[in-house]
Amino acid sequence: MPKVPPPSPPASSPAALDIGALPASYEAGLQELEQLVAELESGQLPLDQLLGSYQRGAALLAFCRDKLQAVEDQIKVLDANGLKAWAGE
């Protein structure tokens, strides 16, 4: 009896999970994320689009968090270098 190869697992390559290019800025990412959340919460998306929209939202959330963390890290470095509190005139 000929051997039958086992079924191949679902594709998990980066191309299979392509969620599009990341935005150019934090603000653009946040705006797109807010729009996606509104669409998801509306309940009007077809089932086929829900998973893709959720994946895109997760990628945008990670992008925005990374941008915020980078700014927070830069502020910590500036504070450590002796920034003085500003006294208004």
Side-chain angles (χ1 to χ4, degrees):
M1 192 179 253
K3 285 190 172 182
V4 177
S8 58
S12 62
S13 67
L17 298 175
D18 184 21
I19 51 170
L22 292 176
S25 68
Y26 170 82
E27 291 78 10
L30 185 60
Q31 181 179 9
E32 185 180 347
L33 183 58
E34 288 173 344
Q35 181 181 356
L36 269 174
V37 168
E39 289 173 2
L40 288 168
E41 288 178 342
S42 75
Q44 300 302 313
L45 284 178
L47 185 60
D48 295 344
Q49 290 181 351
L50 282 174
L51 181 58
S53 294
Y54 180 85
Q55 289 174 328
R56 177 66 179 168
L60 289 169
L61 180 60
F63 170 81
C64 289
R65 284 182 175 165
D66 288 346
K67 289 288 187 183
L68 286 174
Q69 186 63 51
V71 169
E72 184 178 320
D73 292 345
Q74 290 176 0
I75 289 171
K76 287 177 183 177
V77 168
L78 291 172
D79 281 345
N81 287 336
L83 280 181
K84 305 282 189 233
W86 180 70
E89 298 177 302

